[in-house]
Every structure is written in structure tokens, then in C-alpha cells.
Amino acid sequence: MPGFSFDVVSRDGRARAGLLRTPHGEVETPAFMPVGTAGAVKAILHRDLREMGARIILANTYHLMLRPGDGLVARLGGLHGFTGWDAPFLTDSGGYQVFSLAALRRLDEEGVRFQSHIDGTPHLLSPERSMEIQQNLGADVVMAFDECPPGDAPREAVAEATYRTTRWARRSRAAHRREDQWLFGIVQGGVHLDLRETSARDLVEIGFPGYAIGGLSVGEPREGRKRVLAHLDPLLPEDKPRYLMGVGTPEDLIDSVARGVDMFDCVLPTRNARNGQLFTSRGRLAIRNARFKEDPRPPDPACACPTCRTVSRAYLRHLHLANEMGAATLMSVHNLFSYLDMMRAMRQSIRLCRFAEWRRDTLRRLADGPDGP
Amino acid sequence: MPGFSFDVVSRDGRARAGLLRTPHGEVETPAFMPVGTAGAVKAILHRDLREMGARIILANTYHLMLRPGDGLVARLGGLHGFTGWDAPFLTDSGGYQVFSLAALRRLDEEGVRFQSHIDGTPHLLSPERSMEIQQNLGADVVMAFDECPPGDAPREAVAEATYRTTRWARRSRAAHRREDQWLFGIVQGGVHLDLRETSARDLVEIGFPGYAIGGLSVGEPREGRKRVLAHLDPLLPEDKPRYLMGVGTPEDLIDSVARGVDMFDCVLPTRNARNGQLFTSRGRLAIRNARFKEDPRPPDPACACPTCRTVSRAYLRHLHLANEMGAATLMSVHNLFSYLDMMRAMRQSIRLCRFAEWRRDTLRRLADGPDGP
């Protein structure tokens, strides 16, 4: 498709460093995508995202179809025009949120009927409607409509969702028209390796320019997730990007890149920032903790972000306890910077064929705790 | 005092343009001071304040003595060290807030005993304690401890508060020790011109490097305030800065500069931003209004602020209705920029001896409404 390409530029073990090109700019992989649910990353201005090196953000189809409405977004120039974020966007399919947020869901082969969690109005999400919405929103990368069963669903339910996801993927591809968007299929199948395998083979047969891995980070054990990723790695085309949806902690990202994943999104860095939890190069730091009351050090002395360059743990703790919005902004900036910086370091280690060493050192440091070993 | 000076550099009618020098930098007057209650201007980072030209911010003695405590702030380098704002600070005396926020107040000649609105702990604010706190906080400009009666208080109560404020001003001056702070007296007296006159004469006799005008913007009629300012103008020393506390709207600032005022603070631009009200060059705009739903124009097409340069009314309205913190930040940035920009224009008009003309044009434009005349 014009304007799009993906190239794996280096490999180290199963880890890959690549380059995704889109009509709104390039994204080096492995990439982390900050989550901008309603068309804005919470508590952070676009300018700060750009300065910290964010190259692509995710927006949620479910939220935007309900408010402000995808028609309105389209009339105001799509997500890029409406929000002013002129780098790449990715939208999810709405599938995950409709199962986790919406009230009174009724699922059948056509799609999902539900009531808005905002005002109770009735809506339908189907492969065709999801494509219509995502074409209205105008992201660079869009997702096929999928069914994402909960992590504790019985095998029977996961199997049914997996087969339906494949049928919906076919309908999604048929309904998708925009040439300036890349449509990814979503592999489902829970922690069942045979279902994952069927799902991957079926989707690859349909043929997509990229593959998302859904239905993980929904409560399954971490070991189960690692097995799924290792199993999928040889089943997914080497030359196409793989996007692990909704994952995860810094350790999760490292472990998943080691199993061939290229793209991630997760609310963890921003949501935890608003709750006062900082991701540092030595693990997590809860800013409310009384031991930081008079601590003049920056959140992470090893971090070069605007927050760590200018404020102390004591000041951040004060702002957080006083419910000052600035606390959410300062900590969100730090957490996202810290994620993006780790991705930069990870890409470099792959290019230098030192990923295993970098991974060992980084995981060891993350286990030290914020006050050092 | 070393490091401090104030010079009136131009006059036009009763309006003055001046320069206040402090140990942490210079402030051109007439100046508007954004309010940073707890040591941070709500929803705005220091960097953005600097970029929009804020030169001095106000912090609240009452809030900071309760949380995180003035002792802690002192140990972490005072407000400048603690917050990282390295330009001038001004702290109020705590008098106004203790009367408007604290529970179970008991006032006597010594001071005010009260319970914290945060956790109910008992505290005393007195001239001596207010000076101790403000010296711990370490602002460049500090205020004598005053009693601020409500706008509807009977004359008898206002008179008593005025005389007590003078006695407390004397005690404040005696208790104030730091040579790197300027201590201003506060004129009280409500809308009673004779009480204002007595208060001003008594404070000038004690002698301060600057004079604040308190007890206005507490519910009195606007005409009463204008009369008070006009009456005080010849009573206050020409060569000392005059600071009108807690005022006000753009129109209020213009009218007060016309009556010889040099400094202002007010929560209006930031608080109203969080509530979705924008101050534009053509008056106020309520972003919730349905007519902005698909409005692609910036909040104020005549404004050069980062918000107006990058976002539309439609996008701001969406973020505001979705309770996104970014809405508060974007609108606070605009409102403060708009206030500071008006002050710049006002100073220039005074220097060019075109204040009357500028005032007439600006007030006329403010009355137009955001969609123009």
C-alpha cells in the first residue's frame, strides 16, 4: 500500500529491530505506543509526547464512537486533524472495550449490541461498523474487529471466540476500503496453544500487513503468555509487524521482545502515574510512601526526563497528596519517558547484537528497588 | 534592602508602568501573578508558566503551613528550592484563607486559633507566626498578617478589623527578620473611605516598601471598589508598589491600573479554565456550549498562545466533556497567557502614553463576545 512498509533491520536471537513507515511518519520498533483513549494521552500535552520521543499513539474506537462520535471526528479532519497529533495513530477495534466496559451486551454472529457506559444509548459494533468507525477516525493502523474473552473463560468459550474472530477478520477485510490505512488481524485463542495456532494460520491465510496478538494481559499467568508468544513466533510471517495488545510492565515488554514482538500499548505508565506509582530504572516507587517526605532526590537519579531534571521526590509527593493535577502530569511524563527510553535502549541493544546482555542487566536493575541494591 | 527596588518608569494619567527588582529577578508592572496555592499553579508546569512570560507567582501561607508544612519547605530550600520555580515568589499572610477556609476559628488580639480544613489539627496564626512561616517559605515578597472581614460585615466590625490590622502590621514588622524579603503592609477598611484613609495613613506611618490593598473582591459592589482605589491612590506613596489582592476580571485589572495599582493576583483565569470558561480578547467563552461542538476555530483566533496555536474549540470541548486533564491544562495555559498578554499590552500602552485609548478599545472588544460584534 502506498506510504506503508515494514522492514526488520536487525535480529538478535528472536528479538527484532525494525522500521514501520506510515503516511504520517516512521516508527522504529520495538515500539511502545502511549494510550490516548479519547484522542489525548491523559494528563500530557502532545508537545511533551513529541519531545519525549513518542512516535505513534493509540486511540480507542469504543470511546471515540461514543464521544465525540466518529462522524464528528471525520468532519473535523479525522484524528490527526481533530487532535492536532500529526504523527501516526493506531486505533483498536473496539472489541476489547465493548466486552470490558459496555453494559447489557448481546453478542451474536452479526456483532455486539450494547449500551453506552456514558449515557445508556444503544449501539452496535460489528466488523462492518468497526471498519466504518475506524475509517472515519482515520488512524494509520487499524484493527480487525475481534471477540476478546476474559482470561478465565472456559476453553469452549475461548474456542468459539477464536473461530468467530477469524470470521469477523474476513468480514473486516472485506469492509475495509481506505488505502491510507493498514489493517491488522488479531490472533485470539487465550493460553491454548492449539487455538492460537489455528487462529494464526487462519489469519495468515486471509493475509494482513501486520498481526496483533489479543486476549493476553487479561488475567492469564505470565508463564502462559510467554508460552503463547514463543509458540506464535514461528507461525507469524517474519516480515510483518507483530503487535502485542495491552501489555505491559517493563519486564513484560523485554520478555515479549525476546519472543519476537514489535509493538506494544499499555495504560500502565500513565494510569499508575496518576495513582502515584513511578517506574524507575530500579523498579517501582510509590510516591505516597512516608520515606520520601523530605527526599530531595529526583524520582530516578538515572533518568534524564523533564520531571527528574527539575523536581524532587518530596515535592512530587506533596503535589500528589494535595491532589494537584501537576503531580499527574509530572509523573506521567516521567513514566512514559522511562518506557520510551527503555525501548530506545532495547532497540539499540538489538542492533548491536547485545540484547541478551542488555536484558539480563536491565532485569537485574529493575529488581534492585528505587533506593538501590 | 539589598537586591530590591521599585521604580515607576512611566505614567499616563494615574496609571503607572514600573519595575520591581527582587533577589530572584525583575518584574515589570502592572503585573499579574498566577496563583500557585500549594506551590504549583494548578494544571500548569513551571516551564509553561515561564514560556508564557509569568515572572512572579503567589503561594498561600495558609495552605503551605498545613501541607507540607513550612518547616519541611525550609529544610528543602524554601519555596524556590522545594518547587524549582527560581523566579520571584510572593506569599500572602494567611489572613484571608484562615477566615474563608478554616473551621472553628477563634479570633483575639494575639491572633486566630483554628482547625485545619484538611485534618482538623489545631493551629494558631498570629503576626509572629505568619512571619515565621513566611520566612520559612522564603518568598521574595511577604505580607503583614491582617484581618480580612467579609464583604457584608457591618461598619463596626470592619472598623475593628482595620484597627487590629494596623496593630498586627506593627507586630509583623517587628517580627520580620529576613533581609532578602520585602514585607508589605495591607490596607483594610472595606468600602468605607474614612476607614481606608485611616488604615493607609497608619500603615504609611509605620513604613513599608510596598502596600497591599486587601478586603476587596469579597462581594462588595464594583463601584465601591473603584471609589476605594481612587481614594487610596493619593494616600499611598507614589514611589512604592501597590498590590490589589485577589482581583480580578480583565475589566477589573484595567480599571484598577487606571487608579494607580501595580500588582494583582487572582485564581479566576486558572479556576475558570478548569470549569471550562475561557477568557478571550472578545470576552468569555463557555466551552461546554453546544454551538462549539464542531467549531474548528481556535478558542481565540487573535491569541498566540500554545493552546490557540494548536487546538480547536471542538477538540477542547470534547476533552472537557470527557473529563480529560489535558482540557484543564490547555485552557489554563490559554487563560493565563491571555491575562499576561493583556498586562504586556497595558504596560506598553502606558509607556507610549496611549493607555486611555488602549483601555477604551480593549473594554469595547471585551464586550463584543467571542464570536465577534
Side-chain angles (χ1 to χ4, degrees):
Chain A
M1 212 160 282
F4 284 99
S5 66
F6 177 73
D7 293 295
V8 175
V9 294
S10 311
R11 284 170 211 274
D12 184 6
R14 298 306 308 158
R16 310 130 53 88
L19 185 66
L20 171 71
R21 283 195 198 81
T22 82
H24 287 92
E26 301 183 345
V27 181
E28 291 183 300
T29 64
F32 179 81
M33 303 183 281
V35 177
T37 298
V41 175
K42 289 189 195 301
I44 305 197
L45 300 181
H46 293 343
R47 184 189 61 174
D48 294 312
L49 283 174
R50 265 184 222 111
E51 283 180 10
M52 67 174 76
R55 289 289 169 264
I56 174 169
I57 63 184
L58 176 143
N60 289 117
T61 287
Y62 171 83
H63 288 87
L64 290 164
M65 73 180 277
L66 299 180
R67 183 173 56 195
D70 49 295
L72 185 149
V73 173
R75 288 188 293 280
L76 288 158
L79 278 173
H80 297 96
F82 181 57
T83 69
W85 175 259
D86 52 12
F89 262 110
L90 180 149
T91 45
D92 62 5
S93 70
Y96 176 76
Q97 258 91 19
V98 79
F99 289 104
S100 59
L101 290 178
L104 294 176
R105 293 185 301 276
R106 223 178 57 233
L107 171 80
D108 60 23
E109 190 59 23
E110 187 192 356
V112 191
R113 259 161 254 279
F114 63 95
Q115 293 189 355
S116 158
H117 73 289
I118 300 168
D119 60 8
T121 49
H123 295 268
L124 166 73
L125 256 179
S126 63
E128 293 74 20
R129 176 72 182 120
S130 177
M131 291 309 105
E132 183 187 11
I133 297 167
Q134 292 188 78
Q135 291 181 107
N136 273 335
L137 297 176
D140 302 270
V141 181
V142 302
M143 296 292 129
F145 188 60
D146 63 326
E147 180 184 349
C148 180
D152 59 355
R155 183 190 154 88
E156 203 47 45
V158 178
E160 205 179 323
T162 304
Y163 306 142
R164 180 175 289 121
T165 293
T166 298
R167 295 190 297 274
W168 284 358
R170 216 168 266 125
R171 281 168 55 193
S172 295
R173 231 197 55 170
H176 185 257
R177 296 271 176 277
R178 278 184 73 153
E179 298 245 315
D180 58 348
Q181 295 185 315
W182 252 10
L183 172 66
F184 283 18
I186 302 182
V187 178
Q188 287 289 353
V191 290
H192 310 285
L193 299 185
D194 58 328
L195 294 179
R196 285 287 176 181
E197 184 159 345
T198 306
S199 176
R201 289 191 195 284
D202 290 348
L203 289 171
V204 171
E205 202 191 296
I206 301 172
F208 289 95
Y211 297 88
I213 302 161
L216 291 177
S217 201
V218 290
E220 79 287 347
R222 183 167 290 177
E223 285 312 311
R225 185 198 311 164
K226 290 183 185 172
R227 267 198 308 276
V228 168
L229 294 179
H231 195 76
L232 284 177
D233 179 18
L235 297 172
L236 294 173
E238 281 283 330
D239 59 345
K240 302 276 192 288
R242 296 104 172 258
Y243 158 34
L244 177 54
M245 307 182 82
V247 173
T249 66
E251 293 85 348
D252 290 335
L253 302 192
I254 296 170
D255 286 341
S256 305
V257 167
R259 289 164 178 81
V261 175
D262 305 303
M263 298 165 69
F264 303 89
D265 79 282
C266 193
V267 295
L268 216 54
T270 41
R271 178 180 292 163
N272 289 20
R274 298 195 301 283
N275 295 329
Q277 190 180 63
L278 292 157
F279 290 95
T280 79
S281 52
R282 295 179 177 274
R284 305 191 195 185
L285 182 159
I287 201 69
R288 303 181 77 91
N289 196 306
R291 75 177 190 277
F292 303 130
K293 194 170 176 183
E294 302 206 10
D295 192 335
R297 289 175 293 174
D300 183 351
C303 176
C305 84
T307 299
C308 289
R309 286 202 315 263
T310 55
V311 302
S312 66
R313 296 173 181 184
Y315 181 56
L316 267 188
R317 179 174 188 274
H318 161 63
L319 293 183
H320 181 70
L321 294 180
N323 294 315
E324 288 284 331
M325 286 188 202
T329 299
L330 287 164
M331 293 196 280
S332 297
V333 164
H334 166 78
N335 277 357
L336 271 186
F337 184 100
S338 149
Y339 263 64
L340 294 168
D341 197 50
M342 185 185 78
M343 301 310 286
R344 268 191 295 269
M346 187 148 39
R347 289 192 298 265
Q348 193 178 27
S349 78
I350 298 169
R351 287 193 206 106
L352 299 175
C353 281
R354 297 171 62 92
F355 175 66
E357 191 180 341
W358 176 88
R359 179 188 183 193
R360 191 192 60 227
D361 293 347
T362 303
L363 291 175
R364 191 177 291 157
R365 212 180 49 236
L366 284 169
D368 278 345
D371 290 323
Chain B
M1 214 162 281
F4 284 100
S5 66
F6 177 73
D7 293 295
V8 175
V9 294
S10 308
R11 285 169 209 275
D12 184 8
R14 297 308 306 159
R16 308 130 55 91
L19 185 67
L20 171 69
R21 284 194 195 83
T22 82
H24 287 91
E26 299 182 346
V27 181
E28 291 183 300
T29 64
F32 180 80
M33 303 183 283
V35 177
T37 298
V41 176
K42 287 188 197 302
I44 306 197
L45 300 182
H46 293 344
R47 179 196 60 180
D48 295 316
L49 282 175
R50 265 184 221 110
E51 282 178 12
M52 68 175 71
R55 289 289 169 264
I56 175 168
I57 63 183
L58 175 143
N60 288 117
T61 286
Y62 172 84
H63 289 87
L64 290 165
M65 71 180 279
L66 299 179
R67 183 173 58 196
D70 49 296
L72 185 149
V73 174
R75 288 190 292 281
L76 288 160
L79 279 172
H80 297 95
F82 181 58
T83 68
W85 174 259
D86 52 12
F89 262 110
L90 179 148
T91 45
D92 62 4
S93 70
Y96 176 75
Q97 259 90 19
V98 79
F99 289 104
S100 59
L101 291 177
L104 293 176
R105 292 186 302 276
R106 225 177 57 235
L107 170 80
D108 60 22
E109 189 60 22
E110 188 193 355
V112 191
R113 261 160 252 278
F114 65 95
Q115 293 189 355
S116 158
H117 74 289
I118 301 168
D119 61 7
T121 49
H123 294 268
L124 166 73
L125 257 180
S126 62
E128 293 74 20
R129 177 72 182 119
S130 176
M131 291 307 104
E132 183 188 9
I133 297 167
Q134 292 188 78
Q135 292 181 103
N136 273 334
L137 297 177
D140 302 87
V141 181
V142 301
M143 295 293 131
F145 189 60
D146 64 324
E147 180 185 348
C148 180
D152 58 356
R155 183 192 154 89
E156 202 47 44
V158 178
E160 206 179 322
T162 304
Y163 305 143
R164 180 176 288 118
T165 293
T166 298
R167 295 191 296 273
W168 284 358
R170 217 168 264 127
R171 281 168 55 191
S172 296
R173 230 197 56 171
H176 185 257
R177 296 271 176 275
R178 279 183 73 154
E179 296 246 316
D180 59 347
Q181 297 186 312
W182 252 10
L183 171 66
F184 284 18
I186 302 181
V187 178
Q188 288 287 355
V191 291
H192 310 285
L193 300 186
D194 57 328
L195 294 178
R196 286 283 176 184
E197 182 159 345
T198 305
S199 176
R201 288 192 195 283
D202 289 348
L203 289 170
V204 171
E205 201 191 297
I206 300 173
F208 290 95
Y211 296 87
I213 302 162
L216 291 177
S217 201
V218 291
E220 79 286 348
R222 182 166 290 177
E223 284 312 310
R225 184 198 309 163
K226 290 184 185 173
R227 266 198 307 275
V228 168
L229 293 178
H231 196 75
L232 283 177
D233 179 19
L235 297 173
L236 294 173
E238 282 282 330
D239 58 346
K240 302 276 191 289
R242 296 103 173 258
Y243 159 33
L244 177 55
M245 306 182 82
V247 173
T249 66
E251 293 85 347
D252 290 335
L253 302 192
I254 296 169
D255 287 340
S256 303
V257 167
R259 289 166 179 80
V261 175
D262 306 302
M263 299 166 68
F264 302 89
D265 78 283
C266 193
V267 295
L268 217 54
T270 41
R271 177 179 294 163
N272 289 21
R274 297 195 301 283
N275 295 330
Q277 190 180 62
L278 291 156
F279 290 94
T280 80
S281 53
R282 294 179 179 274
R284 306 191 196 186
L285 181 159
I287 202 71
R288 303 181 77 90
N289 197 306
R291 77 177 190 277
F292 303 129
K293 194 170 178 182
E294 303 206 11
D295 191 334
R297 289 175 294 174
D300 183 352
C303 175
C305 84
T307 299
C308 290
R309 285 201 315 264
T310 55
V311 301
S312 66
R313 296 174 181 182
Y315 181 57
L316 265 188
R317 180 175 187 274
H318 161 63
L319 294 182
H320 180 70
L321 294 180
N323 292 315
E324 289 284 331
M325 285 188 204
T329 299
L330 288 164
M331 292 196 280
S332 296
V333 164
H334 166 77
N335 277 357
L336 272 185
F337 184 100
S338 147
Y339 263 64
L340 294 168
D341 197 50
M342 185 185 79
M343 300 310 286
R344 270 191 292 271
M346 185 148 39
R347 288 191 300 264
Q348 191 177 30
S349 79
I350 297 169
R351 287 194 206 106
L352 299 174
C353 283
R354 297 170 63 92
F355 175 67
E357 192 179 340
W358 175 88
R359 179 188 181 193
R360 189 193 60 226
D361 292 348
T362 303
L363 291 175
R364 190 179 290 158
R365 212 179 51 236
L366 284 169
D368 278 344
D371 291 323

